[in-house]
Amino acid sequence: MVDLSGYQPPPFDQWPDAQPYEQWHAISDQGGVIELPPNAWDPSARAFHVTRFADADRILRDADTFSASINTEGIGPYMGELILGLDGEEHRRYRNLVAHAFRRSAIDRWERELIQPIISDLLDDIVPAGRADLVAQLTAKYPVQVICGIVGVPLADHDQFHQWAEKINYGPLDHEAGMAASRAMRDYLEPLVAARRTNPTGDLLSELVHAEVDGERLTDERLYGFLRLLLPAGAETTYNVMGTCLLLLARDRAVRDRISDDRSLVGPFAEEVLRWESSVTMVSRRVTIDTEIGGCPVPAGAAITVLNGAAGHDEDRWPHPTDFDLDREPVAHLAFGTGAHQCLGMHLARLEVAVGINAVLDRLPDLRLDPDRPEPVVAGYAFRGPRTLPVTFG
Ligand code: HEM
């Protein structure tokens, strides 16, 4: 029996190696809602974690009772005006202005012009050696390069762009560095934005600066807020899912051979990975009125952490949920959230993962874990994936 008394998140420095599922399963077994102990700097603040699918789904769909404003509280000063932190009509108007840029035809073009060439170039560098760390050499670079390419950042500046994005993300832990990176990224993007205003080229930036719905356009604050969000939202997440997919393929020869022989299984495989080991395990909301979750009273003002990763292990929805099962009946999961804020990049992410898996199966035959290196594991608290993936191939 897991002891949940005093349950709380691990300290930040332990997040990358955390293994929280045992505790999260125990919360589900005990009703699916747990209140965290009061924190030292604001003892009156109330905070709850929620693990069951039905509760998570209801919270994410009910924006009147569960506000997304909490998403701006820590990171807002560094990111700018965030789509993730708005509710209701204001969020709808912002989302309408950016969503068009992610339409099917744009994604198809990105696949031809960016995604396929990027994965192919990265694999060109890997293939000759017969062994590689697929995290350091492939997954850590692939989605970053795709997003930078989509935004229009030249290849030579990718590392710099990535570093700014990380400093912005860690702004709440290092204020000076976060603010400096936030300004630097805007200074860098301003000339690109100005050029697209006068001479649109059909890329994402051109779409965003010229987007107009009902006579309304993106303000500069929202434009730069959206651009600052793209890398953490689209790269960190996809990189981890890719890593977990490739780890499974390298570890389980039967699964690898089935998918390699029948590529129609690539999509179902990636969906089962997203359910089983969601790369984003939690999303936050702030309660607007006194309510209840799963029968547990929750006061207005409380912070709710929806553990969407844990919700993917709900046995009311998936039999034997902790097993990875390629033949599972497809049932919607919450890896991309749901409701008004459901991931705007989910079609792009699914495509990147599918293209990446197909390319690896084509170019790295007989993929296996490197027997001379420690066996990699999926780890992490808020973001989960393997930190290394040493493999050999034919
Ligand atoms: C496997 C990869 C990905 C996962 C697991 C993921 C997960 C999520 C989740 C759970 C949310 C909802 C957050 C909330 O409700 O508070 C979200 C929102 C969002 N995601 Fe993703 N994401 C992925 C890839 C991407 C990509 C590739 C992009 C863009 C290039 C992207 C852009 C966004 C944006 C802009 C939002 C905010 C939408 C809104 O607030 O209306 N994501 N994502």
Side-chain angles (χ1 to χ4, degrees):
M1 180 89 171
V2 178
D3 178 14
L4 289 173
S5 53
Y7 164 83
Q8 54 184 331
F12 278 120
D13 61 342
Q14 291 173 20
W15 282 29
D17 297 317
Q19 295 297 359
Y21 269 99
E22 199 185 355
Q23 280 194 320
W24 291 348
H25 292 153
I27 298 171
S28 287
D29 291 346
Q30 295 175 33
V33 183
I34 191 165
E35 180 163 8
L36 273 58
N39 69 57
W41 51 97
D42 184 1
S44 65
R46 309 274 302 268
F48 297 79
H49 279 192
V50 175
T51 59
R52 305 293 303 243
F53 180 91
D55 296 327
D57 190 64
R58 177 194 141 215
I59 291 168
L60 296 182
R61 288 176 191 277
D62 179 0
D64 290 336
T65 314
F66 302 99
S67 164
S69 60
I70 193 169
N71 285 329
T72 323
E73 287 172 17
I75 200 78
Y78 313 96
M79 287 260 181
E81 268 190 56
L82 265 189
I83 186 170
L84 269 172
L86 296 176
D87 292 315
E89 182 57 20
E90 235 196 317
H91 170 260
R92 199 184 59 78
R93 295 208 319 261
Y94 190 156
R95 184 152 169 141
N96 281 348
L97 280 167
V98 291
H100 188 66
F102 289 81
R103 66 194 175 281
R104 187 74 247 174
S105 59
I107 293 178
D108 287 347
R109 186 171 141 208
W110 293 335
E111 178 181 7
R112 280 192 313 277
E113 294 177 4
L114 289 167
I115 301 174
Q116 295 279 9
I118 287 171
I119 194 83
S120 175
D121 285 355
L122 289 170
L123 284 167
D124 283 348
D125 291 341
I126 290 173
V127 166
R131 61 195 332 133
D133 177 348
L134 290 185
V135 168
Q137 292 173 258
L138 190 71
T139 61
K141 298 181 178 176
Y142 171 49
V144 173
Q145 293 194 7
V146 171
I147 302 280
C148 286
I150 287 173
V151 174
V153 175
L155 190 64
D157 299 335
H158 284 192
D159 281 347
Q160 174 64 79
F161 203 72
H162 194 189
Q163 282 169 27
W164 286 329
E166 293 207 319
K167 292 206 168 100
I168 291 170
N169 229 6
Y170 286 101
L173 299 181
D174 185 346
H175 175 74
E176 291 302 318
M179 289 309 285
S182 182
R183 274 191 303 271
M185 193 186 271
R186 181 168 172 152
D187 291 345
Y188 176 86
L189 288 168
E190 266 174 354
L192 298 180
V193 167
R196 300 309 193 282
R197 280 199 210 282
T198 47
N199 182 23
T201 57
D203 62 7
L204 179 90
L205 273 187
S206 309
E207 293 264 353
L208 294 178
V209 296
H210 292 282
E212 187 174 330
V213 178
D214 299 334
E216 195 178 5
R217 291 183 169 219
L218 279 178
T219 60
D220 275 4
E221 268 311 293
R222 291 195 174 175
L223 172 67
Y224 290 108
F226 190 71
L227 293 170
R228 289 192 193 98
L229 172 69
L230 274 183
L231 213 50
E236 201 69 20
T237 49
T238 316
Y239 137 81
N240 275 312
V241 174
M242 268 297 286
T244 305
C245 287
L246 298 181
L247 169 56
L248 281 181
L249 293 177
R251 191 165 67 192
D252 190 330
R253 197 195 293 192
V255 168
R256 182 201 72 195
D257 288 348
R258 266 187 77 192
I259 297 171
S260 188
D261 292 347
D262 177 1
R263 298 303 174 92
S264 70
L265 292 174
V266 168
F269 169 71
E271 287 313 302
E272 173 65 350
V273 170
L274 281 160
R275 175 203 71 80
W276 179 69
E277 263 300 0
S278 174
S279 65
V280 176
T281 62
M282 50 185 68
V283 293
S284 303
R285 294 293 185 264
R286 173 87 56 208
V287 179
T288 58
I289 44 170
D290 290 352
T291 184
E292 57 74 35
I293 303 170
C296 171
V298 173
I304 306 296
T305 302
V306 173
L307 296 167
N308 59 318
H313 286 198
D314 191 325
E315 42 194 19
D316 285 350
R317 196 166 171 87
W318 292 278
H320 310 292
T322 53
D323 294 349
F324 175 84
D325 180 0
L326 185 54
D327 299 308
R328 210 179 264 292
E329 281 296 308
V331 177
H333 54 68
L334 293 178
F336 292 112
T338 190
H341 291 274
Q342 187 175 41
C343 180
L344 193 58
M346 66 182 178
H347 302 305
L348 171 64
R350 286 183 165 125
L351 180 71
E352 278 181 70
V353 170
V355 169
I357 291 172
N358 275 307
V360 166
L361 290 172
D362 289 340
R363 305 275 313 271
L364 308 182
D366 201 19
L367 184 73
R368 294 156 195 256
L369 293 180
D370 188 335
D372 299 330
R373 301 277 303 279
E375 183 166 334
V377 288
V378 176
Y381 189 66
F383 294 103
R384 287 181 63 76
R387 304 286 144 246
T388 62
L389 183 45
V391 294
T392 63
F393 41 86

